[in-house]
Amino acid sequence: DAQKKTLIAAERERHDVARRRAQWVKHQGRIDPARLVFIDETWTKTNMAPLRGWAPRGQRLKADVPHGHWKTMTFLAALRSDRVEAPWLLDGPIDGESFRLYVAPTLRPGDIVVMDNLGSHKGKAVRHAIRAAGARLFFLPKYSPDLNPIEQLFDQPADVALWRGLDGRLSDFLLVMERGGLARVLEPLAHVALDDQQLSKLGNLSV
């Protein structure tokens, strides 16, 4: 019975990484869950496409994917013990300044912020914003997304359909995902966007 392979970083077996992972697991039960705030981001690009598909035997399968004009969108959220807080859809890639702007109003005194080791999380301005909010910062052990519960929220399969305009450039896209945790978070954002008078509604889609 063939199953999809799950790849795990071989660096977890390093002595220093294994020691930090063991320490994290040992001590995490000593922290009040109500104080924990797991912050992370996920992203999608409009040039993402499946690597495989069906085609007549002996023929290559061709698919159009934008190369010259494509976009990156980033979704950030904070996971608390009882809710997902402060969802933000960013039209572009994440950087240190964008992350600082997100973190500052998200926290309250006494929070314990837990994040992975992404470069945009480690800037001095980000650390200062967290301290200024009266919160503490902890970084997860390296190569340890399995220790971050917000990863389960982001682990939602999705498909992207693309349309080109009359000028040949990418004009519209449709993101389809199973109705899991991330879909439920994104739905209110979609309603806000449709209520924006500066945006035009193309139509409705129901499943």
Side-chain angles (χ1 to χ4, degrees):
D1 183 20
Q3 299 291 334
K4 184 177 180 181
K5 182 185 295 184
T6 299
L7 300 179
I8 299 175
E11 287 83 356
R12 285 188 189 178
E13 303 301 323
R14 276 184 5 209
H15 177 70
D16 59 325
V17 176
R19 184 180 70 253
R20 285 280 290 115
R21 285 174 55 85
Q23 290 174 342
W24 182 268
V25 172
K26 179 180 178 181
H27 291 95
Q28 64 181 356
R30 303 179 183 179
I31 303 174
D32 179 5
R35 298 178 60 193
L36 290 171
V37 186
F38 295 89
I39 299 178
D40 202 5
E41 62 281 305
T42 187
W43 53 268
T44 184
K45 294 183 179 181
T46 54
N47 66 345
M48 296 174 67
L51 299 179
R52 297 171 180 82
W54 294 97
R57 184 182 297 273
Q59 296 185 24
R60 296 282 296 179
L61 177 64
K62 296 182 180 180
D64 293 329
V65 179
H67 281 74
H69 302 279
W70 50 270
K71 295 179 62 178
T72 297
M73 290 177 295
T74 306
F75 175 76
L76 298 95
L79 178 65
R80 295 183 180 270
S81 60
D82 59 346
R83 65 189 182 278
V84 175
E85 195 170 67
W88 185 29
L89 190 61
L90 176 64
D91 187 13
I94 190 69
D95 56 24
E97 177 60 18
S98 299
F99 194 74
R100 183 192 66 81
L101 292 174
Y102 173 80
V103 165
T106 305
L107 304 176
R108 57 175 182 248
D111 282 342
I112 298 176
V113 181
V114 181
M115 300 188 295
D116 61 25
N117 292 269
L118 188 68
S120 58
H121 298 170
K122 292 187 170 184
K124 291 182 179 180
V126 172
R127 295 171 185 260
H128 178 74
I130 293 174
R131 287 197 300 267
R136 298 182 63 186
L137 171 61
F138 287 94
F139 287 107
L140 287 163
K142 295 180 179 178
Y143 312 108
S144 301
D146 58 312
L147 299 180
N148 193 348
I150 200 171
E151 294 287 349
Q152 301 175 26
L153 174 71
F154 291 156
D155 188 18
Q156 300 289 330
D159 294 304
V160 179
L162 308 172
W163 287 269
R164 294 182 184 274
L166 295 177
D167 59 357
R169 298 179 61 179
L170 178 69
S171 59
D172 302 292
F173 70 93
L174 172 66
L175 178 66
V176 181
M177 65 174 59
E178 295 182 2
R179 189 165 178 76
L182 182 55
R184 289 194 294 270
V185 174
L186 288 176
E187 187 174 26
L189 294 178
H191 288 300
V192 171
L194 291 177
D195 290 338
D196 193 326
Q197 298 300 315
Q198 297 182 10
L199 301 177
S200 58
K201 182 177 179 181
L202 299 179
N204 294 316
L205 177 66
S206 61
V207 179

